[in-house]
CSV table of all heavy atoms in Angstrom, one decimal:
chain,number,residue,atom,x,y,z
M,1320,GLU,N,92.5,88.3,108.6
M,1320,GLU,CA,91.0,88.4,108.6
M,1320,GLU,C,90.5,89.7,109.0
M,1320,GLU,O,89.6,90.3,108.5
M,1320,GLU,CB,90.5,87.3,109.6
M,1320,GLU,CG,89.0,87.3,109.7
M,1320,GLU,CD,88.2,87.2,108.4
M,1320,GLU,OE1,88.7,86.6,107.5
M,1320,GLU,OE2,87.1,87.9,108.3
M,1321,LEU,N,91.2,90.4,110.0
M,1321,LEU,CA,90.9,91.7,110.4
M,1321,LEU,C,91.0,92.7,109.2
M,1321,LEU,O,90.1,93.6,109.0
M,1321,LEU,CB,91.7,92.2,111.6
M,1321,LEU,CG,91.7,93.7,112.0
M,1321,LEU,CD1,90.3,93.9,112.5
M,1321,LEU,CD2,92.7,94.0,113.1
M,1322,LEU,N,92.1,92.7,108.5
M,1322,LEU,CA,92.3,93.5,107.3
M,1322,LEU,C,91.1,93.3,106.3
M,1322,LEU,O,90.7,94.3,105.7
M,1322,LEU,CB,93.7,93.4,106.7
M,1322,LEU,CG,94.9,93.9,107.6
M,1322,LEU,CD1,96.1,93.5,106.9
M,1322,LEU,CD2,94.8,95.4,107.7
M,1323,ASN,N,90.9,92.0,106.0
M,1323,ASN,CA,89.9,91.8,105.0
M,1323,ASN,C,88.4,92.3,105.5
M,1323,ASN,O,87.7,92.9,104.7
M,1323,ASN,CB,89.7,90.3,104.8
M,1323,ASN,CG,90.9,89.7,104.0
M,1323,ASN,OD1,91.6,90.4,103.3
M,1323,ASN,ND2,91.1,88.4,104.2
M,1324,ARG,N,88.2,92.2,106.7
M,1324,ARG,CA,86.9,92.7,107.3
M,1324,ARG,C,86.9,94.2,107.2
M,1324,ARG,O,85.8,94.8,106.8
M,1324,ARG,CB,86.6,92.2,108.7
M,1324,ARG,CG,85.4,92.7,109.4
M,1324,ARG,CD,85.2,92.1,110.7
M,1324,ARG,NE,86.2,92.4,111.6
M,1324,ARG,CZ,86.2,93.6,112.4
M,1324,ARG,NH1,85.3,94.5,112.1
M,1324,ARG,NH2,87.1,93.8,113.2
M,1325,LEU,N,87.9,94.9,107.6
M,1325,LEU,CA,87.9,96.3,107.6
M,1325,LEU,C,87.9,96.8,106.2
M,1325,LEU,O,87.3,97.9,105.9
M,1325,LEU,CB,89.2,96.8,108.3
M,1325,LEU,CG,89.2,96.6,109.9
M,1325,LEU,CD1,90.6,97.0,110.5
M,1325,LEU,CD2,88.1,97.3,110.6
M,1326,GLN,N,88.6,96.2,105.3
M,1326,GLN,CA,88.5,96.6,103.9
M,1326,GLN,C,87.0,96.6,103.4
M,1326,GLN,O,86.6,97.5,102.7
M,1326,GLN,CB,89.4,95.7,103.0
M,1326,GLN,CG,89.4,96.2,101.5
M,1326,GLN,CD,90.2,95.3,100.7
M,1326,GLN,OE1,90.5,94.1,101.0
M,1326,GLN,NE2,90.6,95.7,99.6
M,1327,ARG,N,86.3,95.5,103.7
M,1327,ARG,CA,84.9,95.4,103.3
M,1327,ARG,C,84.1,96.5,103.9
M,1327,ARG,O,83.2,97.1,103.3
M,1327,ARG,CB,84.3,94.0,103.6
M,1327,ARG,CG,85.0,92.9,102.8
M,1327,ARG,CD,84.1,91.6,103.0
M,1327,ARG,NE,84.0,91.2,104.4
M,1327,ARG,CZ,84.9,90.3,105.0
M,1327,ARG,NH1,85.9,89.8,104.3
M,1327,ARG,NH2,84.7,90.0,106.3
M,1328,GLU,N,84.3,96.8,105.2
M,1328,GLU,CA,83.5,97.7,105.9
M,1328,GLU,C,83.7,99.1,105.4
M,1328,GLU,O,82.9,100.0,105.3
M,1328,GLU,CB,83.6,97.6,107.4
M,1328,GLU,CG,83.1,96.3,108.0
M,1328,GLU,CD,83.4,96.2,109.4
M,1328,GLU,OE1,84.0,97.1,110.0
M,1328,GLU,OE2,83.1,95.1,110.1
M,1329,LEU,N,85.0,99.5,105.2
M,1329,LEU,CA,85.4,100.8,104.9
M,1329,LEU,C,85.6,101.1,103.4
M,1329,LEU,O,85.7,102.3,103.0
M,1329,LEU,CB,86.8,101.2,105.6
M,1329,LEU,CG,86.8,101.0,107.1
M,1329,LEU,CD1,88.2,101.2,107.7
M,1329,LEU,CD2,85.7,101.8,107.8
M,1330,GLY,N,85.6,100.1,102.6
M,1330,GLY,CA,85.7,100.2,101.2
M,1330,GLY,C,87.0,100.7,100.6
M,1330,GLY,O,87.1,101.3,99.5
M,1331,MET,N,88.1,100.5,101.4
M,1331,MET,CA,89.4,101.1,101.0
M,1331,MET,C,90.1,100.1,100.1
M,1331,MET,O,89.8,98.9,100.0
M,1331,MET,CB,90.2,101.3,102.2
M,1331,MET,CG,90.6,100.1,103.0
M,1331,MET,SD,91.5,100.4,104.5
M,1331,MET,CE,91.5,98.8,105.2
M,1332,ALA,N,91.1,100.6,99.3
M,1332,ALA,CA,92.0,99.7,98.5
M,1332,ALA,C,93.2,99.3,99.5
M,1332,ALA,O,93.5,100.0,100.4
M,1332,ALA,CB,92.5,100.4,97.3
M,1333,VAL,N,93.7,98.1,99.2
M,1333,VAL,CA,94.8,97.7,100.0
M,1333,VAL,C,96.0,97.3,99.1
M,1333,VAL,O,95.8,96.5,98.0
M,1333,VAL,CB,94.5,96.4,100.9
M,1333,VAL,CG1,95.6,95.8,101.5
M,1333,VAL,CG2,93.4,96.8,101.8
M,1334,LEU,N,97.2,97.8,99.3
M,1334,LEU,CA,98.4,97.4,98.7
M,1334,LEU,C,99.2,96.5,99.6
M,1334,LEU,O,99.7,97.0,100.6
M,1334,LEU,CB,99.2,98.7,98.3
M,1334,LEU,CG,100.5,98.4,97.6
M,1334,LEU,CD1,100.3,97.6,96.2
M,1334,LEU,CD2,101.3,99.7,97.4
M,1335,LEU,N,99.2,95.3,99.4
M,1335,LEU,CA,99.7,94.2,100.4
M,1335,LEU,C,101.1,93.8,99.8
M,1335,LEU,O,101.2,93.2,98.8
M,1335,LEU,CB,98.8,93.1,100.4
M,1335,LEU,CG,99.2,91.9,101.3
M,1335,LEU,CD1,99.4,92.3,102.8
M,1335,LEU,CD2,98.3,90.7,101.2
M,1336,ILE,N,102.1,94.0,100.6
M,1336,ILE,CA,103.5,93.6,100.3
M,1336,ILE,C,103.7,92.4,101.1
M,1336,ILE,O,103.6,92.4,102.4
M,1336,ILE,CB,104.5,94.7,100.7
M,1336,ILE,CG1,104.2,96.0,99.8
M,1336,ILE,CG2,105.9,94.2,100.3
M,1336,ILE,CD1,105.0,97.2,100.3
M,1337,THR,N,104.0,91.2,100.5
M,1337,THR,CA,104.2,90.0,101.2
M,1337,THR,C,105.1,89.0,100.5
M,1337,THR,O,105.4,89.2,99.3
M,1337,THR,CB,102.8,89.3,101.5
M,1337,THR,OG1,103.0,88.1,102.2
M,1337,THR,CG2,102.1,89.0,100.1
M,1338,HIS,N,105.7,88.1,101.3
M,1338,HIS,CA,106.4,87.0,100.7
M,1338,HIS,C,105.5,85.7,100.7
M,1338,HIS,O,105.9,84.7,100.0
M,1338,HIS,CB,107.6,86.5,101.7
M,1338,HIS,CG,108.7,87.5,101.7
M,1338,HIS,ND1,108.8,88.6,102.5
M,1338,HIS,CD2,109.8,87.6,100.9
M,1338,HIS,CE1,109.9,89.3,102.3
M,1338,HIS,NE2,110.5,88.7,101.3
M,1339,ASP,N,104.4,85.8,101.3
M,1339,ASP,CA,103.5,84.5,101.4
M,1339,ASP,C,102.5,84.4,100.3
M,1339,ASP,O,101.5,85.1,100.3
M,1339,ASP,CB,102.8,84.6,102.8
M,1339,ASP,CG,102.2,83.4,103.2
M,1339,ASP,OD1,101.8,82.6,102.4
M,1339,ASP,OD2,102.0,83.2,104.5
M,1340,LEU,N,102.8,83.5,99.4
M,1340,LEU,CA,101.9,83.3,98.3
M,1340,LEU,C,100.6,82.7,98.7
M,1340,LEU,O,99.6,82.8,98.0
M,1340,LEU,CB,102.6,82.4,97.3
M,1340,LEU,CG,103.8,82.9,96.6
M,1340,LEU,CD1,104.4,82.0,95.7
M,1340,LEU,CD2,103.4,84.2,95.8
M,1341,GLY,N,100.5,82.0,99.9
M,1341,GLY,CA,99.2,81.5,100.4
M,1341,GLY,C,98.3,82.7,100.7
M,1341,GLY,O,97.2,82.7,100.4
M,1342,VAL,N,98.9,83.8,101.4
M,1342,VAL,CA,98.1,84.9,101.6
M,1342,VAL,C,97.7,85.6,100.4
M,1342,VAL,O,96.5,86.1,100.3
M,1342,VAL,CB,99.0,85.9,102.5
M,1342,VAL,CG1,98.4,87.3,102.6
M,1342,VAL,CG2,99.3,85.3,103.8
M,1343,VAL,N,98.5,85.7,99.4
M,1343,VAL,CA,98.2,86.2,98.1
M,1343,VAL,C,97.0,85.6,97.5
M,1343,VAL,O,96.0,86.2,97.1
M,1343,VAL,CB,99.3,86.2,97.1
M,1343,VAL,CG1,98.9,86.6,95.7
M,1343,VAL,CG2,100.5,87.0,97.6
M,1344,ALA,N,96.9,84.2,97.5
M,1344,ALA,CA,95.9,83.4,96.9
M,1344,ALA,C,94.5,83.7,97.6
M,1344,ALA,O,93.5,83.7,97.0
M,1344,ALA,CB,96.2,81.9,96.9
M,1345,GLU,N,94.6,83.9,98.9
M,1345,GLU,CA,93.4,84.1,99.7
M,1345,GLU,C,92.9,85.5,99.7
M,1345,GLU,O,91.6,85.7,99.8
M,1345,GLU,CB,93.6,83.7,101.1
M,1345,GLU,CG,93.8,82.2,101.3
M,1345,GLU,CD,94.0,81.9,102.8
M,1345,GLU,OE1,93.7,82.8,103.6
M,1345,GLU,OE2,94.4,80.7,103.1
M,1346,THR,N,93.7,86.5,99.5
M,1346,THR,CA,93.3,87.9,99.8
M,1346,THR,C,93.4,88.8,98.6
M,1346,THR,O,92.6,89.8,98.5
M,1346,THR,CB,94.1,88.5,100.8
M,1346,THR,OG1,95.5,88.6,100.5
M,1346,THR,CG2,94.0,87.7,102.1
M,1347,ALA,N,94.2,88.5,97.6
M,1347,ALA,CA,94.4,89.5,96.5
M,1347,ALA,C,93.5,89.4,95.3
M,1347,ALA,O,92.9,88.3,95.0
M,1347,ALA,CB,95.9,89.3,96.0
M,1348,ASP,N,93.3,90.5,94.6
M,1348,ASP,CA,92.6,90.5,93.4
M,1348,ASP,C,93.5,90.5,92.2
M,1348,ASP,O,93.3,89.8,91.1
M,1348,ASP,CB,91.7,91.8,93.2
M,1348,ASP,CG,90.6,91.9,94.4
M,1348,ASP,OD1,89.8,91.0,94.4
M,1348,ASP,OD2,90.7,92.9,95.2
M,1349,ARG,N,94.7,91.2,92.3
M,1349,ARG,CA,95.7,91.2,91.3
M,1349,ARG,C,97.1,91.1,92.0
M,1349,ARG,O,97.2,91.4,93.2
M,1349,ARG,CB,95.6,92.5,90.5
M,1349,ARG,CG,94.4,92.7,89.6
M,1349,ARG,CD,94.4,94.0,88.7
M,1349,ARG,NE,95.5,94.0,87.8
M,1349,ARG,CZ,95.5,93.3,86.7
M,1349,ARG,NH1,94.5,92.5,86.3
M,1349,ARG,NH2,96.5,93.4,85.8
M,1350,VAL,N,98.1,90.7,91.2
M,1350,VAL,CA,99.4,90.4,91.7
M,1350,VAL,C,100.5,91.1,90.9
M,1350,VAL,O,100.4,91.1,89.7
M,1350,VAL,CB,99.7,88.9,91.8
M,1350,VAL,CG1,101.0,88.7,92.4
M,1350,VAL,CG2,98.6,88.1,92.5
M,1351,ALA,N,101.4,91.8,91.5
M,1351,ALA,CA,102.6,92.3,90.8
M,1351,ALA,C,103.8,91.6,91.4
M,1351,ALA,O,104.0,91.7,92.6
M,1351,ALA,CB,102.6,93.8,91.1
M,1352,VAL,N,104.5,90.9,90.5
M,1352,VAL,CA,105.7,90.1,91.0
M,1352,VAL,C,106.9,91.0,90.6
M,1352,VAL,O,107.1,91.3,89.5
M,1352,VAL,CB,105.8,88.8,90.3
M,1352,VAL,CG1,107.0,87.9,90.7
M,1352,VAL,CG2,104.5,88.0,90.5
């Protein structure tokens, strides 16, 4: 939630590396498998 909030406030792009598909569904715009 902190990363999402800071991204909105600062306008930065985020490259998120994760195993958690639940996190992907909630936070990502695009996905590279």
Side-chain angles (χ1 to χ4, degrees):
E1320 175 55 34
L1321 171 64
L1322 288 175
N1323 287 338
R1324 177 174 63 81
L1325 293 176
Q1326 181 180 20
R1327 291 192 301 269
E1328 291 178 2
L1329 303 177
M1331 64 186 175
V1333 175
L1334 179 61
L1335 176 65
I1336 301 169
T1337 182
H1338 289 91
D1339 192 332
L1340 292 176
V1342 170
V1343 173
E1345 291 184 13
T1346 63
D1348 298 300
R1349 293 182 63 78
V1350 181
V1352 181

